[in-house]
Amino acid sequence: MRVARPRGSSPLSCPDSLGDQHTHEGDSISDPRTNDRIRVPEVRLVGPNGEQVGVVRIEQALKLAQEADLDLVEVAPNSRPPVVKIMDYGKFKYEQAQKVKEARRNQANTILKEVRFRLKIDTHDYETKLKRAEGFLQGGDKVKAMILFRGREQSRPEQGVRLLQRFAEDVADFGTVESRPVQDGRNMVMIIGPLKNKADAKAEANAKRAANRQRAPQGEDAPAEPADETTTEAAATAVAANTKEQNA
């Protein structure tokens, strides 16, 4: 019996077993066995909508998949008997690849921004650095808060811990502590991660810009109101003059 191969794949797209060591270009040894490459007498079959069909002969499972114009995919090869599912394997692989791509994109775009403090920092300088850190976190980036110790300040690490704890509390609306304060020589470092990932932060910023563009034309129309008042006054003056002429 000839069984249809997965859509969008070549005849060599799936290895004969998960333990195969030899693959062709573009293949992956982690790809599951599909269709006629599943070489066991019996399988536990799961339908295309997740329904449990039960243990059936491999021939029957292949026939059901072929009748549905879908693929038979081995999803749990180590089970006894192996678990297989009827699905569109090409679509499944595409969706998985998109998820991996999105995860990598978000991870690659997350940047570690650095904010440096002195142990004896004044209020204005602290507020300035705090606002910078909030901006980084709102943009979906991580913040590395670093205290630079001078001279004998290294013998008072507890003061550095208190300063970083205060900083963490002040940015709590935008990020959470991923790495608690750790002293490394003359420096003390703490890592704060954003509450929003890079993709969500970018989407929110784009939405705000779009909303501002929509409100801009309304703001341009607003100055027209004084002209209307002048026109009204001129009309009232004209009416008064006509009334005087008629009375005369």
Side-chain angles (χ1 to χ4, degrees):
M1 178 177 63
R2 186 175 182 277
V3 182
R5 301 189 191 98
R7 298 181 189 82
S9 64
S10 67
L12 301 176
S13 62
C14 300
D16 287 346
S17 69
L18 294 177
D20 286 349
Q21 298 298 317
H22 301 286
T23 61
H24 299 273
E25 186 177 357
D27 296 342
S28 170
I29 62 174
S30 62
D31 286 343
R33 294 188 295 186
T34 61
N35 299 325
D36 55 348
R37 295 181 182 274
I38 304 174
R39 299 171 182 175
V40 293
E42 289 184 336
V43 293
R44 185 176 299 278
L45 180 62
V46 179
N49 297 318
E51 65 274 19
Q52 298 290 331
V53 179
V55 178
V56 299
R57 297 287 300 175
I58 185 62
E59 294 83 5
Q60 182 182 354
L62 288 169
K63 181 180 179 181
L64 292 173
Q66 194 172 28
E67 289 175 350
D69 194 25
L70 295 172
D71 306 302
L72 189 67
V73 182
E74 188 178 51
V75 295
N78 295 327
S79 299
R80 292 293 178 269
V83 180
V84 298
K85 184 176 181 180
I86 296 175
M87 68 171 74
D88 185 337
Y89 184 56
K91 180 180 178 181
F92 170 77
K93 286 197 71 175
Y94 173 78
E95 291 175 347
Q96 291 298 108
Q98 290 299 107
K99 290 179 181 179
V100 172
K101 183 179 179 180
E102 180 68 15
R104 287 177 179 173
R105 185 175 68 85
N106 291 338
Q107 183 177 9
N109 288 340
T110 300
I111 302 173
L112 184 62
K113 303 286 189 176
E114 189 173 282
V115 178
R116 297 187 177 188
F117 300 91
R118 290 293 183 184
L119 191 59
K120 297 179 180 179
I121 187 171
D122 60 62
T123 303
H124 180 268
D125 194 17
Y126 177 82
E127 293 294 336
T128 300
K129 294 181 182 295
L130 180 64
K131 289 180 179 179
R132 285 186 60 203
E134 290 176 352
F136 294 148
L137 293 170
Q138 284 180 301
D141 294 318
K142 293 185 179 183
V143 172
K144 178 181 180 181
M146 177 185 294
I147 293 180
L148 307 177
F149 292 105
R150 290 178 175 176
R152 296 181 180 180
E153 291 177 349
Q154 296 181 60
S155 62
R156 298 191 290 273
E158 68 281 357
Q159 295 183 12
V161 172
R162 284 197 294 268
L163 177 57
L164 290 179
Q165 287 176 342
R166 172 191 169 191
F167 177 75
E169 292 173 359
D170 289 340
V171 299
D173 291 339
F174 309 98
T176 57
V177 176
E178 290 188 356
S179 174
R180 295 189 176 279
V182 176
Q183 187 169 3
D184 180 16
R186 294 185 177 182
N187 302 328
M188 181 173 287
V189 176
M190 179 180 68
I191 306 296
I192 297 180
L195 296 180
K196 300 176 183 178
N197 61 40
K198 192 76 172 181
D200 291 342
K202 185 176 180 180
E204 184 175 320
N206 291 337
K208 287 182 179 179
R209 282 196 292 269
N212 290 336
R213 284 196 297 268
Q214 291 177 355
R215 287 195 295 266
Q218 299 176 3
E220 294 173 359
D221 293 339
E225 293 181 0
D228 293 341
E229 293 176 1
T230 303
T231 302
T232 302
E233 292 176 1
T237 302
V239 171
N242 290 338
T243 302
K244 288 181 179 179
E245 290 177 0
Q246 291 176 2
N247 293 335

